[in-house]
Amino acid sequence: MDDDGKGDLVRLIQYRDLHGQRRVGIVNGASIQVLGEVDTMRELGLLAIQRHTGLERLAQLLNTDRSEDYAAILAEGRILAPLDHPDPAHCRVSGAGTTHLGSATTRDKMHRRIEGDELDKTDTQLMIEWGIAGGRPAPGTVGVQPEWFYKGDGHCIVAPGRPLPRPDFALDGGEEPEIVGLYLIDDAGCPRRLGFAIGNEFSDHVMERRNYLYQGHSKLRHCAFGPELLVGLPPAHLVGMTRIRRRGRVIWEQEFLTGPDNMCHSIENLEYHTFKYAHLLHAGDVHAHFMGAANLSFAYSVRTEDGDSIEISIPDFGAPLVNGIQHVQSNLRPGGVRQL
């Protein structure tokens, strides 16, 4: 199902029609061409595996003469994340860090001990150097491992346009603009790549800055990706833009570089070190894997607030990913665990 990255970029979405029925469609400018036979992206992937064809080819074969207005789908909040599972427990969300050449300075500053010797190398700096030296191995060989983390299951995924929850125990809620690989596990336990989407790997950078051993806690937050799935591998060089708005006004914006040419790990190496663990490969499950961020507003002393809006755009991926931030109360209070 892998795409060679050549030719027109085919982009797909998941959404609900005006009757609330789930649909899959091909992005065609301002309109969405509705697919028949399948209601979800996962069903489309499973059918492509069953018919021994590619995702792009099957989408074209299932294209109907029906269309919907894309702007209306977005404006009315009917857009969904481009890949999910009917049982969110069978969707795994993970990510890689220190994968981008542009992230070295940012992450090194975050993880450098305040009282430490400036001549000492942080673990972040070492990971970047290892990635540069061994993150792009020859085909068929194993490269160096990247930083890896777990974000949660499908319950942590927020649809495009919806607010990202910031729990009351959080010290921060900061964006991380990334590309996200989207995968489906086939009956033989082999991961099948559907494609990539724009992602916001929302994290708690203040907590991580206190001590990098808190990174696991900082990553257990909601996230968002979409709205479109770019079938196959992404272009080698991608230029994106992050904008943070407060009460409708842009308070910070910055361009970022991503794609394979701007990464010290190849996508294939990141995929290998994600899927080499057999106990993660259950037939029918779906995976979303964040490929790492090049920069983030936290490095420029920006602190987001409830009500802010984060927009991440990459022209090759179509419509931007936009999400707000909303404070939420934690479900569990101190002492809330009960003896059975």
Side-chain angles (χ1 to χ4, degrees):
M1 206 181 301
D2 296 356
D3 187 271
D4 62 5
K6 299 177 181 179
D8 294 335
L9 302 176
V10 174
R11 304 191 304 274
L12 307 173
I13 66 165
Q14 280 194 135
Y15 69 101
R16 293 191 183 276
D17 64 20
L18 292 172
H19 303 289
Q21 175 68 35
R22 291 181 64 122
R23 302 289 185 195
V24 179
I26 302 174
V27 180
N28 183 19
S31 67
I32 299 298
Q33 302 299 126
V34 184
L35 302 190
E37 294 191 40
V38 297
D39 296 329
T40 70
M41 198 74 71
R42 178 174 174 271
E43 290 177 1
L44 180 66
L46 290 171
L47 189 59
I49 294 170
Q50 179 186 329
R51 296 186 180 180
H52 305 286
T53 189
L55 196 71
E56 176 182 340
R57 176 170 172 76
L58 182 59
Q60 299 291 358
L61 290 173
L62 299 184
N63 193 1
T64 69
D65 58 359
R66 291 177 291 145
S67 65
E68 290 211 36
D69 182 70
Y70 192 12
I73 293 172
L74 294 172
E76 294 164 9
R78 295 189 280 119
I79 194 72
L80 302 170
L83 181 65
D84 56 10
H85 194 287
D87 179 356
H90 288 275
C91 173
R92 290 181 175 82
V93 185
S94 59
T98 58
T99 59
H100 281 64
L101 301 174
S103 68
T105 301
T106 297
R107 294 293 302 280
D108 186 57
K109 287 180 179 178
M110 284 177 60
H111 292 165
R112 183 172 294 281
R113 291 173 298 154
I114 295 173
E115 73 280 7
D117 184 348
E118 287 295 307
L119 296 178
D120 291 343
K121 290 183 179 180
T122 65
D123 289 336
T124 293
Q125 196 171 0
L126 289 172
M127 290 289 284
I128 287 287
E129 291 178 2
W130 293 346
I132 292 172
R136 306 180 70 87
T141 63
V142 177
V144 68
Q145 294 184 128
E147 174 191 352
W148 190 95
F149 58 85
Y150 175 71
K151 281 200 72 72
D153 63 13
H155 291 95
C156 78
I157 299 171
V158 175
R162 303 292 184 181
L164 289 158
R166 176 156 58 181
D168 54 6
F169 55 77
L171 304 179
D172 178 42
E175 90 296 334
E176 294 203 20
E178 312 187 19
I179 57 173
V180 183
L182 302 176
Y183 306 87
L184 171 64
I185 310 302
D186 68 17
D187 287 342
C190 177
R192 300 293 193 105
R193 183 195 309 121
L194 279 69
F196 288 79
I198 300 172
N200 183 353
E201 195 269 292
F202 196 57
S203 299
D204 190 333
H205 301 116
V206 172
M207 181 180 293
E208 186 177 343
R209 177 65 179 86
R210 283 187 172 181
N211 190 306
Y212 77 94
L213 295 178
Y214 280 149
Q215 188 202 47
H217 288 283
S218 77
K219 297 298 186 182
L220 287 171
R221 297 291 186 270
H222 286 76
C223 63
F225 54 84
E228 303 178 22
L229 183 155
L230 179 69
V231 177
L233 288 167
H237 176 72
L238 294 166
V239 180
M241 177 68 74
T242 303
R243 291 186 176 91
I244 300 177
R245 290 183 171 87
R246 183 167 297 160
R247 292 181 286 278
R249 182 176 65 87
V250 175
I251 64 165
W252 185 83
E253 64 179 4
Q254 188 175 74
E255 188 178 85
F256 65 90
L257 302 179
T258 187
D261 282 356
N262 299 295
M263 299 166 64
C264 56
H265 286 265
S266 66
I267 286 175
E268 292 80 4
N269 192 53
L270 297 179
E271 291 174 336
Y272 170 76
H273 287 295
T274 297
F275 294 114
K276 65 185 179 183
Y277 302 103
H279 61 282
L280 299 181
L281 303 179
H282 300 290
D285 282 6
V286 298
H287 289 249
H289 187 66
F290 285 82
M291 297 286 175
N295 56 31
L296 48 148
S297 64
F298 178 82
Y300 297 86
S301 300
V302 176
R303 301 295 180 270
T304 61
E305 298 178 0
D306 295 334
D308 286 357
S309 175
I310 301 170
E311 176 188 294
I312 302 172
S313 60
I314 303 175
D316 291 288
F317 284 75
L321 173 64
V322 182
N323 296 93
I325 302 175
Q326 183 179 45
H327 175 270
V328 294
Q329 188 78 14
S330 172
N331 291 329
L332 184 68
R333 309 314 299 167
V337 176
R338 299 180 181 180
Q339 174 66 44
L340 185 62

